[in-house]
Amino acid sequence: MNRILRHATMQWRDEGRAVLSEYLGVELVKYRHMKYGTGVVVGKVEGPLCKASMVFATEPKDDKGHTHCLEHLCFMETKTYPRGFLDLLATRCGSQGTNAFTEFDHTQYEFEVTGEPGLVRVLPVFMNHVLCPLLSESGFTTEIFHINGKGEQQGVVYSEMAGRENSEMDLMWNSLLKRMFGSTAPYSYETGGLSSEIAKLTRQEIVDYHREVYTTDNLNIIVTGQFDTQVILNTIDQALVKAVEAGARVECLNRAFSKKLPANDYPTTRAVVPFPSEDTSIGSIAYGFKLHKGLTNIEEQTALEVMWRYLTGLSSSPLNQAFVELEFPIASSVFGDLHLACEPFGYLEFSGVPYNGIELLNGSSNDGEIIENSEEEEEDEEDEEDMEPEPPASPSTKMSPLDWFRGDGMISKLIDELESVLHKLESQGPEWDHLKKALLKERLSNKEDFEDSPHEIISSGIAPELIFEGYPTGKKIPFGAMVDKHAAFEFLEQQNVGWWISFLRNTMISELKDAKEKGFGAVEIKMVPSMQLVKKNEMKTTRVTRANAKRYGPAGLARLQKIVEDAKEANQINLSIEEKATFPTEVHISDVKDIPRKITHTMQPIETIEVDMNCSFLDLRLYFDYSRTPPALLRYLYLFHELLLETDMDGVDYRRVVQKMDEDLVSSSCGIGKYGKFMMTGTQPTCFSVLLCAEVEKAGKLVHWLDNIINKVTFNEEKVRTTCKTLVADITEHMRDGQTVLDHCVTFAAYQPDSINVLVTPFSQRSFLRRALKDIPATIEKLEQLRKVLASPDTRMSLFVGGGTHEIRKSVITGLSQALPSPATRPPLYSDYKWGLGCRDKFAKRDKSRGFAVGVGGVDTAYIHLSTQVDVAPKDKKEYWALYLLCECISIGEGELQLEIRGRGLAYGAGVYFHTFEGTVSLDIWECTNIKGCIQGALEILRQIPNEDCDTLSEFNVKNAIGSVVCGLKSKRSTPSDIMGSTSTAAAKGFFNVEDEEEFEALLHTITHEDLLDVYEKHVQRLLQKEELVAGVVCDPKSVESAAKAMSQALQNMPFTVHKNLKTVYPQADELISITVA
């Protein structure tokens, strides 16, 4: 029976409870407000943070991006609260700010904060912003779209979408959803908005959409953390009352997804879609499969996730063996996923598929597929004359000799491989065993994911239940079933092989056959790279700006510029003294309690840091020092890192190795440095890490696999060859992204050519891997030399082990010492680590300027970076925290830098950051549509910081920044996995116990105004001095020269090297690196 909770004006109905038996017995409880219809789900999660998510079911109705634009405007201001109040309050209360995202079927607003007091203060203000936003004309002008005095089209949302709408992934995803659901379904539209359609959107359309959809009965709030439920419900109730009194509507008359989707009206579910790219050697192919039993069948959804793990999860998996692990790979990777739409579907993507022809782009696909255009506008005659014919694909490291984009080759191959799997399952041999093990591993991995990210798992799992609760499925989803999946796993473990064969045949094989034979079944999207689209998109921006100038004329453009300037002025943050006085005192780091932990540091026989904490698993992290390894050998390190856990061990073939390791361990990985991205070292770049996690009762397996990794690895020639080829394809794919290109260019410009930071970048690896392919035996010899570094008694190393009991951890330490080649004693790494004293990889001293501008085809907005090296390390204590805090003061949401850049609609965002391990301070601006305006405006903000009338270092702003810093520090220790990572970070700073680390962090609260001014003058001000800088910009090729000129003018005529594309960068970089290394 439902229970009624009453307290003061509050009245709630208990609508369900779910104990997450898969996830530590966490209980979720669902309440419904009896007057206003708002749903609330609460879940008690251990840790220092609380999280609140507000979810609205939303449906796009065209490509103007109503849902996305409304999401942005809700943060601006309300009738009750002025602009800036929300985000500044959030940071003051111990949050890193509020955030939101818009999906195809819902919009979600969220924030994390350190504890219940901040949660209770911020949540009602945030609710007021989403239910009662002002949606002003000035906010629309800067945040959504405007035309400036030069005829250029700008706006935060416009910049964001212009920067991604022509990417391979966005074009593929949009096309797949259209083919999956039809041209009139909500999923067929670009939920973020297409830039050309955003330009047609009006403020009134957003106002009308908000009034129709953002009602109290369409609002669901998910709250997780440690708090008093009664206090939270009372807080939400009072906020609802105030919102309704301020005009919020209660009833949604046209709730999203309350009706069945329309029938799919496309004649075929197969399409070829071109995307802009200068490198036309590879594309991608994706498939979509609707699940037959719909949203309420959790067993079918879970079965698909298990099937993807079985088919694609390991290098030994069937589809990886059939498409990737080949002499001539058909793809560089295969990835499968489940998407919980109102009609759920599976998604299978083949990346890095070799593209060898040009006929598809000329319309002769030869298989009845539809060739879609990504741009509907017709080019004028002048533009057509400027466009060159599509060049043939550039020769690359040989992948597959066939063209998988033409005809039925790819879909036929996929059908054949899946039918082969089906036949092997029928025999109930090894493949049936692998599938059963995949089911067990999926269940175990879900538990690990929950322990690593409990707030996210709950909010992302419960959201579909709330969004689609009115969708006509004929059956109600059991509350919490999409989060826990306990019943689904229990069901699947009881099914025989025949059930799984039927599932595979009906869900995938039959649908693929229908698509191949009838043109309508599974969705197939072939993404084809096109140089013509690069040129076409470059012309588009110029053409639109020119057309605007002609349309409005000088007087009209002046009026438009006046509108922009007035909007900027109207959007300034001017909180009154009275409003500021309502803010609480800043959060002190000692008041926010971490998950209990104890750290023990010992030195014999291996330097070991034990972490005693409550954890479901045993987490082991081993770090090896490669700083003394010759650069010529280090160039093989990225390949070594890719192969180490996926090659032969102890005479066993790599396929069996990865299967057995997956069976024995919860997870395994290795890396160069910490937290590195693709071909980037991350922090602590000279540390090579091996990370293993196991169930506590399998502690012996950790030792077994460490022994294998250190002593018994041999490099399989077949696997080495395939990995080199797929890495080259991965480089091509990653280097189509503007931010990725900028990151790698900055690294190459900053450091010596023989630095480990440079040696692992694509500029080093692309040609190097091709050469490595020509002599596989020599490559294997180098890889073996790198393995010997792991086993060498001279290699410094440190072990971090957490979870389990002291006795279990001790058994792992003893086992590892016995596995090491004699003598077992190893020189320590972390206690002798010099980073805490300021020893880092220094910037290179170059004769030429470190300024660069690089063009990347298909990039439609610009990315800007300035950085300077600073000599500040943890040993400097107060100076370290002063610089850390100063950068937060500058970058804080709704601060002066954000208002100058984002507030004027010039870019999506900007920030100044202290990169503590690299020893650098940087200014970064992303998704920018006005390079000159951004760089000039940002630098002027930096110049104004010492002035008394500058708000950046005001007492009010500093207190807000402290709250944000505290939240950031606590978030790094909010789960057991986070604690393991933060413990190694603390050790690198020289802190080997909790007390010393807490004492160090408490210094944050001792920083004075004078300390901040001091580090500004010593360090941040260097961003204004060209002699100290690495400076770069990545943009579209046509704008690269003007971008370099704008950057140079803003930086005291700093020289910039211009590269119109990456084709000139690769050979120059490889030559310089090769000469230096040799």
Side-chain angles (χ1 to χ4, degrees):
M1 181 181 295
N2 290 340
R3 294 184 300 145
I4 307 298
L5 299 182
R6 291 185 176 87
H7 183 265
T9 59
M10 180 172 60
Q11 193 176 53
W12 298 90
R13 181 174 64 246
D14 181 338
E15 286 200 335
R17 292 170 181 260
V19 176
L20 307 183
S21 52
E22 293 287 308
Y23 304 133
L24 308 175
V26 171
E27 184 181 44
L28 301 183
V29 185
K30 182 181 180 182
Y31 300 98
R32 178 74 60 188
H33 197 284
M34 297 180 67
K35 184 175 182 181
Y36 299 126
T38 302
V40 176
V41 175
V42 297
K44 300 297 180 67
V45 173
E46 294 294 330
L49 301 181
C50 293
K51 180 178 180 180
S53 302
M54 297 182 288
V55 182
F56 291 94
T58 53
E59 284 186 1
K61 53 186 179 181
D62 53 35
D63 288 320
K64 290 183 177 180
H66 296 75
T67 55
H68 183 209
C69 294
L70 175 56
E71 170 220 308
H72 276 249
L73 289 179
C74 281
F75 287 93
M76 301 286 282
E77 56 194 329
T78 77
K79 297 173 183 177
T80 306
Y81 300 104
R83 176 164 186 178
F85 191 96
L86 171 62
D87 261 334
L88 296 176
L89 175 68
T91 54
R92 175 66 68 91
C93 292
S95 172
Q96 291 189 294
T98 55
N99 200 3
F101 59 89
T102 301
E103 295 287 356
F104 291 90
D105 41 36
H106 72 283
T107 303
Q108 185 162 321
Y109 301 83
E110 57 188 21
F111 70 100
E112 285 187 333
V113 67
T114 52
E116 181 184 301
L119 177 64
V120 171
R121 288 298 299 269
V122 177
L123 182 54
V125 178
F126 207 172
M127 289 175 62
N128 188 270
H129 275 70
V130 298
L131 290 171
C132 306
L134 195 58
L135 305 179
S136 66
E137 194 67 57
S138 61
F140 181 90
T141 297
T142 57
E143 193 72 15
I144 309 303
F145 175 76
H146 66 261
I147 300 172
N148 68 11
K150 296 180 180 179
E152 297 166 335
Q153 300 191 154
Q154 297 174 341
V156 175
V157 174
Y158 181 87
S159 298
E160 177 188 358
M161 297 313 300
R164 53 174 260 206
E165 65 188 8
N166 288 310
S167 68
E168 179 181 6
M169 180 54 66
D170 269 46
L171 290 171
M172 173 196 285
W173 194 238
N174 290 335
S175 184
L176 184 140
L177 290 175
K178 281 182 170 64
R179 301 283 160 175
M180 180 78 68
F181 294 103
S183 65
T184 60
Y187 294 101
S188 70
Y189 302 114
E190 170 53 77
T191 188
L194 297 176
S195 59
S196 59
E197 294 299 303
I198 292 171
K200 303 173 186 176
L201 184 66
T202 66
R203 184 189 72 88
Q204 188 58 49
E205 289 179 89
I206 296 178
V207 170
D208 294 342
Y209 186 80
H210 178 271
R211 182 171 176 78
E212 177 185 347
V213 176
Y214 276 40
T215 57
T216 61
D217 68 340
N218 190 27
L219 170 62
N220 285 283
I221 304 175
I222 306 163
V223 187
T224 50
Q226 290 296 305
F227 48 79
D228 184 322
T229 299
Q230 191 67 50
V231 171
I232 298 303
L233 293 175
N234 191 44
T235 299
I236 293 172
D237 174 75
Q238 293 175 12
L240 289 170
V241 170
K242 291 180 180 179
V244 173
E245 289 175 350
R249 296 187 67 188
V250 173
E251 185 178 5
C252 184
L253 299 178
N254 188 21
R255 183 181 170 88
F257 301 101
S258 58
K259 301 175 184 177
K260 276 281 189 180
L261 295 182
N264 191 339
D265 57 351
Y266 267 97
T268 177
T269 54
R270 305 177 70 185
V272 177
V273 181
F275 67 93
S277 175
E278 291 175 317
D279 188 317
T280 58
S281 62
I282 61 169
S284 55
I285 301 177
Y287 294 90
F289 313 83
K290 266 195 186 178
L291 296 184
H292 296 146
K293 297 183 180 179
L295 186 66
T296 60
N297 195 293
I298 313 300
E299 294 82 8
E300 184 185 43
Q301 297 158 23
T302 308
L304 181 63
E305 292 179 307
V306 172
M307 188 60 73
W308 287 145
R309 179 178 289 276
Y310 161 66
L311 290 172
T312 70
L314 303 172
S315 58
S316 60
S317 296
L319 293 187
N320 274 309
Q321 286 292 304
F323 289 88
V324 180
E325 304 295 334
L326 304 170
E327 180 179 1
F328 297 109
I330 300 171
S332 62
S333 65
V334 187
F335 169 74
D337 202 2
L338 164 71
H339 287 270
L340 290 174
C342 63
E343 296 178 5
F345 64 94
Y347 170 76
L348 181 66
E349 180 186 350
F350 296 86
S351 299
V353 180
Y355 173 59
N356 302 319
I358 64 172
E359 291 85 353
L360 289 178
L361 294 180
N362 296 327
S364 53
S365 61
N366 298 323
D367 56 8
E369 302 169 38
I370 302 298
I371 300 179
E372 295 187 348
N373 293 318
S374 64
E375 179 62 56
E376 295 181 357
E377 298 178 24
E378 294 293 330
E379 301 294 336
D380 57 30
E381 294 182 4
E382 179 183 353
D383 290 337
E384 292 288 355
E385 291 173 1
D386 290 341
M387 291 179 65
E388 300 173 4
E390 187 77 33
S394 57
S396 62
T397 301
K398 285 189 177 180
M399 299 281 280
S400 169
L402 301 177
D403 186 346
W404 297 96
F405 291 89
R406 185 179 292 104
D408 292 332
M410 193 68 168
I411 197 169
S412 296
K413 170 74 173 173
L414 180 56
I415 291 169
D416 290 345
E417 295 303 330
L418 291 177
E419 288 190 323
S420 174
V421 168
L422 188 148
H423 295 320
K424 291 176 182 177
L425 288 174
E426 287 174 339
S427 69
Q428 299 192 40
E431 289 305 316
W432 173 229
D433 290 334
H434 295 328
L435 177 54
K436 289 187 289 185
K437 289 173 182 176
L439 171 58
L440 297 176
K441 187 58 179 285
E442 181 68 19
R443 191 169 189 173
L444 184 62
S445 294
N446 281 1
K447 293 179 180 179
E448 183 191 29
D449 291 343
F450 184 83
E451 187 165 88
D452 288 346
S453 307
H455 300 280
E456 291 72 21
I457 295 296
I458 289 174
S459 63
S460 63
I462 209 70
E465 295 183 21
L466 305 175
I467 298 160
F468 303 125
E469 60 185 350
Y471 193 70
T473 59
K475 180 182 176 183
K476 188 174 177 61
I477 303 171
F479 176 62
M482 286 186 167
V483 184
D484 189 46
K485 300 182 183 178
H486 174 79
F489 280 120
E490 292 289 310
F491 169 82
L492 293 174
E493 288 179 4
Q494 300 302 315
Q495 303 311 304
N496 60 25
V497 68
W499 187 94
W500 289 96
I501 289 172
S502 177
F503 174 79
L504 177 60
R505 180 184 292 115
N506 295 334
T507 304
M508 299 184 203
I509 297 175
S510 296
E511 294 291 319
L512 287 166
K513 286 183 175 180
D514 284 347
K516 176 185 174 183
E517 297 165 6
K518 305 173 185 177
F520 198 94
V523 176
E524 181 188 53
I525 305 296
K526 297 177 179 178
M527 299 301 299
V528 178
S530 168
M531 185 61 191
Q532 284 187 8
L533 276 182
V534 172
K535 298 178 181 298
K536 186 175 181 180
N537 290 344
E538 290 172 10
M539 296 171 187
K540 175 186 171 184
T541 302
T542 302
R543 187 175 66 251
V544 169
T545 301
R546 190 188 307 144
N548 285 335
K550 182 178 180 180
R551 175 185 176 188
Y552 292 102
L557 291 176
R559 286 194 299 273
L560 291 173
Q561 186 61 34
K562 177 79 165 49
I563 292 172
V564 175
E565 295 302 323
D566 289 347
K568 177 192 172 185
E569 185 63 30
N571 291 335
Q572 292 297 312
I573 294 176
N574 294 301
L575 299 189
S576 67
I577 295 175
E578 293 76 18
E579 287 165 338
K580 292 180 179 180
T582 65
F583 280 41
T585 58
E586 70 269 27
V587 175
H588 196 286
I589 195 164
S590 63
D591 294 333
V592 184
K593 303 305 178 185
D594 290 321
I595 294 174
R597 71 196 191 283
K598 181 181 178 182
I599 298 173
T600 306
H601 181 212
T602 56
M603 298 296 292
Q604 294 295 334
I606 313 160
E607 180 178 39
T608 302
I609 294 89
E610 284 187 64
V611 184
D612 186 7
M613 59 181 173
N614 184 22
C615 179
S616 301
F617 304 102
L618 197 59
D619 193 327
L620 183 149
R621 306 185 181 203
L622 197 56
Y623 295 93
F624 301 87
D625 179 33
Y626 272 74
S627 63
R628 302 173 188 176
T629 306
L633 190 56
L634 281 179
R635 209 168 183 186
Y636 290 86
L637 191 58
Y638 198 86
L639 179 61
F640 176 78
H641 130 276
E642 286 284 307
L643 287 164
L644 184 61
L645 304 183
E646 301 223 344
T647 189
D648 297 355
M649 294 186 191
D650 200 18
V652 178
D653 180 77
Y654 82 91
R655 298 166 185 84
R656 181 59 186 143
V657 168
V658 297
Q659 289 168 354
K660 187 60 178 170
M661 188 182 296
D662 187 62
E663 180 182 340
D664 288 346
L665 303 178
V666 177
S667 59
S668 59
S669 64
C670 57
I672 304 170
K674 288 177 60 181
Y675 313 120
K677 295 181 286 187
F678 177 74
M679 290 193 172
M680 296 191 74
T681 57
T683 61
Q684 300 168 245
T686 60
C687 287
F688 186 89
S689 59
V690 177
L691 281 61
L692 306 179
C693 180
E695 294 169 281
V696 174
E697 59 270 23
K698 291 186 177 180
K701 297 296 184 182
L702 290 175
V703 175
H704 167 77
W705 284 108
L706 281 173
D707 180 27
N708 275 276
I709 292 164
I710 294 172
N711 300 311
K712 300 175 183 178
V713 161
T714 55
F715 293 97
N716 180 297
E717 182 172 333
E718 170 194 352
K719 182 64 175 170
V720 171
R721 181 178 290 106
T722 300
T723 303
C724 286
K725 291 180 178 180
T726 55
L727 280 175
V728 171
D730 288 342
I731 289 172
T732 298
E733 191 169 40
H734 279 79
M735 295 296 274
R736 287 168 173 162
D737 176 72
Q739 185 64 61
T740 301
V741 171
L742 179 63
D743 291 343
H744 289 302
C745 286
V746 167
T747 301
F748 181 72
Y751 296 103
Q752 294 286 2
D754 59 355
S755 162
I756 181 61
N757 296 295
V758 173
L759 292 175
V760 301
T761 65
F763 298 124
S764 167
Q765 292 292 308
R766 186 170 179 259
S767 297
F768 171 74
L769 289 168
R770 287 171 171 166
R771 291 194 294 272
L773 271 167
K774 296 178 180 178
D775 192 346
I776 294 296
T779 298
I780 291 175
E781 181 181 345
K782 298 296 185 184
L783 295 170
E784 173 60 19
Q785 291 178 33
L786 285 171
R787 187 205 61 80
K788 289 179 179 178
V789 175
L790 296 180
S792 170
D794 297 325
T795 298
R796 297 188 297 172
M797 62 183 291
S798 297
L799 170 67
F800 292 75
V801 57
T805 64
H806 173 70
E807 290 71 23
I808 291 174
R809 295 192 297 271
K810 198 68 177 176
S811 71
V812 172
I813 298 166
T814 302
L816 174 59
S817 64
Q818 293 172 351
L820 290 172
S822 181
T825 303
R826 290 290 185 272
L829 173 58
Y830 271 81
S831 61
D832 194 34
Y833 203 39
K834 302 302 183 184
W835 177 83
L837 301 176
C839 296
R840 303 182 179 93
D841 198 359
K842 300 297 184 183
F843 276 7
K845 293 183 178 180
R846 298 272 174 87
D847 296 331
K848 295 182 179 180
S849 166
R850 292 196 293 255
F852 62 86
V854 177
V856 177
V859 171
D860 295 323
T861 54
Y863 300 83
I864 298 171
H865 174 93
L866 307 181
S867 61
T868 181
Q869 201 151 41
V870 296
D871 188 19
V872 180
K875 67 178 178 64
D876 304 299
K877 293 186 176 179
K878 284 197 70 172
E879 187 176 2
Y880 173 95
W881 283 116
L883 183 54
Y884 200 109
L885 182 57
L886 174 60
C887 291
E888 189 67 34
C889 289
I890 298 170
S891 305
I892 196 168
E894 303 291 20
E896 292 189 315
L897 179 61
Q898 292 291 349
L899 290 175
E900 176 64 25
I901 304 302
R902 186 179 175 119
R904 293 172 60 195
L906 304 180
Y908 189 73
V912 172
Y913 305 100
F914 175 28
H915 306 276
T916 56
F917 275 88
E918 293 87 341
T920 62
V921 171
S922 71
L923 166 66
D924 293 280
I925 305 172
W926 53 96
E927 292 178 8
C928 162
T929 52
N930 187 326
I931 296 170
K932 185 175 182 179
C934 278
I935 191 66
Q936 289 180 343
L939 294 180
E940 184 58 29
I941 292 295
L942 296 184
R943 291 188 188 95
Q944 297 299 322
I945 286 175
N947 297 345
E948 290 186 5
D949 59 348
C950 179
D951 189 57
T952 300
L953 298 187
S954 68
E955 181 182 4
F956 177 77
N957 196 54
V958 171
K959 289 181 178 180
N960 298 334
I962 287 173
S964 180
V965 172
V966 169
C967 182
L969 293 171
K970 292 298 180 179
S971 68
K972 294 174 183 175
R973 297 194 290 268
S974 62
T975 68
S977 178
D978 291 334
I979 288 173
M980 290 298 294
S982 69
T983 300
S984 64
T985 299
K989 297 174 183 177
F991 306 123
F992 293 94
N993 59 65
V994 173
E995 294 74 22
D996 287 348
E997 185 179 10
E998 289 179 344
E999 181 182 346
F1000 173 66
E1001 292 179 345
L1003 292 173
L1004 168 67
H1005 299 281
T1006 69
I1007 302 304
T1008 66
H1009 184 77
E1010 289 70 26
D1011 294 331
L1012 296 172
L1013 285 175
D1014 183 55
V1015 293
Y1016 169 79
E1017 293 174 2
K1018 289 175 64 176
H1019 305 300
V1020 174
Q1021 193 170 235
R1022 294 168 68 179
L1023 288 171
L1024 304 172
Q1025 301 165 6
K1026 65 179 181 180
E1027 294 81 11
E1028 307 284 349
L1029 292 180
V1030 171
V1033 58
V1034 169
C1035 60
D1036 69 273
K1038 192 168 185 177
S1039 304
V1040 68
E1041 290 185 355
S1042 61
K1045 183 178 179 181
M1047 292 283 288
S1048 178
Q1049 289 175 348
L1051 296 169
Q1052 306 163 333
N1053 295 318
M1054 177 180 179
F1056 272 70
T1057 303
V1058 175
H1059 297 274
K1060 288 198 170 184
N1061 53 57
L1062 291 172
K1063 292 178 182 178
T1064 60
V1065 182
Y1066 281 123
Q1068 293 178 20
D1070 179 61
E1071 181 181 11
L1072 178 61
I1073 293 167
S1074 298
I1075 291 172
T1076 305
V1077 167

